[in-house]
Amino acid sequence: MLAINCVVADIDPFQRFLNQGKKATSKSSSTPTQSPFNAWKDFLEKAKEEERKKLQDCPMTCPAGPRGNDGPQGPPGVPGKNVAKSDIIAIIREVFEEYFTVTDRCGLCVKKNQSSVNIFTYVAKKAQDNLNSNKAPIAVIPSAFHMELQSAIVVDHGARKLLIHYVQPTHRGTFTRGNGIDVQKGLFIAPYSAIYRFSALIHLHHSITSSTNTNKNAHVIAYICVDFACTRNRSIKFVSGLSPNSRQFTLYADGILYVEAGHTVGIYVENISGHPITVQNRSSFSGHLVGA
């Protein structure tokens, strides 16, 4: 067999530099001289070039050797999360509700990348994402909602009117958990006997001017009431006076209430201004379950 032996850098570089210097002195004196630094630099470049050529002419390839012994076993990992059975059931319930909410909008399928996703694949993935998350566990909220007023409502002086005819917005950032809202009647129907937090953002418009005869005590009241009874411990109340300097203003009522299962919660606006006021569309009503 033909054997090819390659010798790389078999002579000390400094010795080769001295030999090259001796050869350079034997040339004619008409050749221009070069500084020692530049000569050493050129020599290194030529040495590298020769070494590259030798490696190209004689490539060194070595077959893989036998596998080594296995290393010692690593330390034990972090113990897994202890997930209660009730938490697993709550997560699965939430995933199913989300699945069917989406399927109702797109027609018995969840569209993802223009393809249908099987319900069991969808549920398994969502549940695994919730249980195997490396982040801190997030509480599952079984009941939450956000809806906006569909059209303006006029409230006459001395009247207290329930806000009705809402819509569930579809833009990004909106949410619904469970099915405890009646958008036409403007009511939330509590699915559980628990403590809930409610918020009302009411945009109002009035036609009162500085020349209008108004009562100094003119004001508007916003209520969030349980079972149509706006009484103490059964409602959240917010009072605002009217100013002729601004014809548009916003009432914000927020608080917590205990609501028994099957009972309703709605928003009322009471007008004590002496003139009609208008509750504008896009006023919102939202809430979520806090705990038992």
Side-chain angles (χ1 to χ4, degrees), residues 180-195:
I181 57 174
D182 188 333
V183 292
Q184 292 300 317
K185 295 181 180 179
L187 298 175
F188 168 72
I189 305 169
Y192 312 100
S193 296
I195 298 173

Side-chain angles (χ1 to χ4, degrees), residues 2-158:
L2 180 62
I4 301 177
N5 296 323
C6 298
V7 180
V8 179
D10 53 343
I11 302 178
D12 182 65
F14 185 71
Q15 184 63 38
R16 293 176 64 185
F17 171 71
L18 295 178
N19 295 340
Q20 184 178 3
K22 292 178 181 180
K23 293 179 181 179
T25 55
S26 63
K27 294 184 179 180
S28 60
S29 59
S30 61
T31 305
T33 59
Q34 191 177 25
S35 66
F37 175 76
N38 292 334
W40 175 247
K41 186 176 179 181
D42 292 342
F43 167 74
L44 291 178
E45 292 294 334
K46 292 180 180 179
K48 290 180 181 179
E49 184 65 27
E50 291 178 1
E51 187 173 348
R52 283 195 294 268
K53 289 183 179 180
K54 289 181 180 180
L55 291 175
Q56 291 176 357
D57 296 339
C58 179
M60 298 179 182
T61 57
C62 299
R67 180 182 176 181
N69 297 328
D70 295 335
Q73 185 176 2
V78 180
K81 298 178 182 178
N82 294 325
V83 183
K85 182 178 179 180
S86 58
D87 293 338
I88 297 176
I89 294 174
I91 291 173
I92 294 175
R93 178 184 298 169
E94 179 190 3
V95 172
F96 268 94
E97 289 178 353
E98 181 181 347
Y99 176 85
F100 286 111
T101 299
V102 176
T103 54
D104 288 341
R105 294 179 181 175
C106 72
L108 300 180
C109 69
V110 179
K111 293 184 178 179
K112 184 177 181 182
N113 298 330
Q114 303 299 326
S115 61
S116 298
V117 178
N118 184 275
I119 182 172
F120 299 105
T121 304
Y122 182 85
V123 170
K125 183 179 184 304
K126 294 290 290 186
Q128 185 176 5
D129 291 343
N130 280 278
L131 293 175
N132 297 338
S133 174
N134 294 325
K135 300 180 181 179
I138 300 176
V140 177
I141 301 178
S143 178
F145 69 95
H146 174 80
M147 53 185 179
E148 295 180 352
L149 203 62
Q150 184 177 17
S151 57
I153 297 177
V154 177
V155 182
D156 295 327
H157 166 66

Side-chain angles (χ1 to χ4, degrees), residues 142-287:
S143 178
F145 69 95
H146 174 80
M147 53 185 179
E148 295 180 352
L149 203 62
Q150 184 177 17
S151 57
I153 297 177
V154 177
V155 182
D156 295 327
H157 166 66
R160 178 189 295 178
K161 185 170 288 188
L162 173 68
L163 303 186
I164 59 175
H165 298 307
Y166 288 85
V167 293
Q168 287 185 265
T170 57
H171 53 76
R172 187 175 182 181
T174 58
F175 59 90
T176 300
R177 295 291 184 273
N179 54 358
I181 57 174
D182 188 333
V183 292
Q184 292 300 317
K185 295 181 180 179
L187 298 175
F188 168 72
I189 305 169
Y192 312 100
S193 296
I195 298 173
Y196 296 83
R197 180 167 187 169
F198 299 101
S199 299
L201 196 64
I202 305 170
H203 307 298
L204 297 174
H205 174 80
H206 66 84
S207 58
I208 300 174
T209 63
S210 57
S211 60
T212 305
N213 294 325
T214 58
N215 188 348
K216 293 182 179 180
N217 295 324
H219 60 277
V220 177
I221 307 174
Y223 296 94
I224 302 176
C225 305
V226 178
D227 288 339
F228 312 101
C230 301
T231 58
R232 188 176 180 182
N233 297 328
R234 299 280 287 170
S235 65
I236 301 166
K237 180 180 179 181
F238 183 86
V239 182
S240 175
L242 297 180
S243 172
N245 297 325
S246 178
R247 294 191 178 187
Q248 291 186 344
F249 61 103
T250 299
L251 300 182
Y252 178 69
D254 178 86
I256 59 175
L257 292 170
Y258 178 80
V259 187
E260 296 179 350
H263 291 242
T264 61
V265 180
I267 297 177
Y268 287 84
V269 173
E270 185 174 1
N271 180 13
I272 313 295
S273 66
H275 301 272
I277 61 173
T278 302
V279 181
Q280 297 179 319
N281 63 329
R282 301 291 298 276
S283 297
S284 62
F285 181 27
S286 59

